[in-house]
Amino acid sequence: MGILGLRKTERFATMPPNQPGPSREMLFFPGVEELNQEAARRLVELAKVSIAAQGHFSLALSGGSTPEKLYNLLANAPYKDQFDWSKVLIFFGDERCVPPNHPDSNYRMASQALLSKVPLPSENIHRMHGEDPPEEAAAAYAQELEKAFGLEHGDGPSPENFPSFDLILLGMGPDGHTASLFPGTQALQERGRPVTVNHVPRLNSDRITLTAPAINQAGQVWFLVVGEDKAEPLVRVLEGEFQPQTYPSQLVSPQHGKLLWMLDEAAAAKLTKRS
Ligand code: 6PG
């Protein structure tokens, strides 16, 4: 049962979440400060509701500069003390293939901004092991998800063998990537696994990432997007032709959950529709 007291398949059954409708919401803010204040406020509310309804709140974090500001807010008053952190389970949407103390590590950023500053038991933090050989790290993370979510081992996205995070935070790069789903890369084709390695030729490096079918099982997915360099890709993603090989963020379309776009005015500047 979902937190709304409905079976997940019954929620939003008639409206595809990537289209305007009750399962997609767009919010606009003057700048990153206002956006992150509202994101923090909503995250606290969702955590409270999830913990009250099911005893825990599972949250997948993103890398990037926008969420780092959100993490800083959450680590301080008035947000920090509003819910029981021992009931929060932390996961990651993607990771760079570097050790956890490396400046590029998403875990390191989240740890410094938030995880080390709140009363979160270490066993509640599930990080991707970027220091291990990438294939092994991706397989190990899939197993860790199976254990944490009590999943069955099996192929393909179904509620029995794919995790359903209560909330996944995402950013979007100026090239339309999200998590580590980059344009033209192999991971965009992945349908059977929730986590995969992705070689990114443009960066000449490997990443570990949740796949689009895994992201799309979440209860809520929030994109936090700011800055004028996002205006062009954003209008393509939201209003353009469906070209997910070019604009991977178009693959994000929660099957039964809610999709929230939180945008600052600079990022939203080229949109012609606001709902
Ligand atoms: C990462 C991210 C990535 C990020 C976008 C947007 O590891 O870099 O998970 O997908 O969210 O690149 O980043 P900004 O918020 O910094 O623009």
Side-chain angles (χ1 to χ4, degrees), residues 143-216:
Q143 277 182 1
E144 190 153 342
L145 293 177
E146 276 181 21
K147 205 167 143 201
F149 284 84
L151 303 171
E152 289 165 19
H153 189 71
D155 279 342
S158 81
E160 286 73 39
N161 55 31
F162 265 45
S164 177
F165 299 97
D166 293 316
L167 173 61
I168 300 182
L169 296 175
L170 293 176
M172 188 188 78
D175 59 356
H177 86 261
T178 191
S180 279
L181 301 170
F182 284 83
T185 56
Q186 192 59 36
L188 305 184
Q189 313 303 332
E190 181 61 53
R191 295 289 172 269
R193 290 179 294 180
V195 188
T196 191
V197 178
N198 199 16
H199 181 67
V200 186
R202 189 171 65 73
L203 303 174
N204 192 25
S205 70
D206 290 328
R207 299 282 189 102
I208 304 161
T209 186
L210 291 183
T211 60
I215 293 170
N216 289 337

Side-chain angles (χ1 to χ4, degrees), residues 171-173 176-178 181 223 237 244 246-253 261:
M172 188 188 78
H177 86 261
T178 191
L181 301 170
F223 270 101
V237 167
T246 310
Y247 300 106
S249 296
Q250 288 184 327
L251 290 171
V252 176
S253 175
W261 287 89

Side-chain angles (χ1 to χ4, degrees), residues 62-67 94 96 106 171-173 177-179 207 230:
S62 132
S65 55
T66 315
D94 71 323
R96 291 94 186 270
N106 283 343
M172 188 188 78
H177 86 261
T178 191
R207 299 282 189 102
K230 309 291 173 66

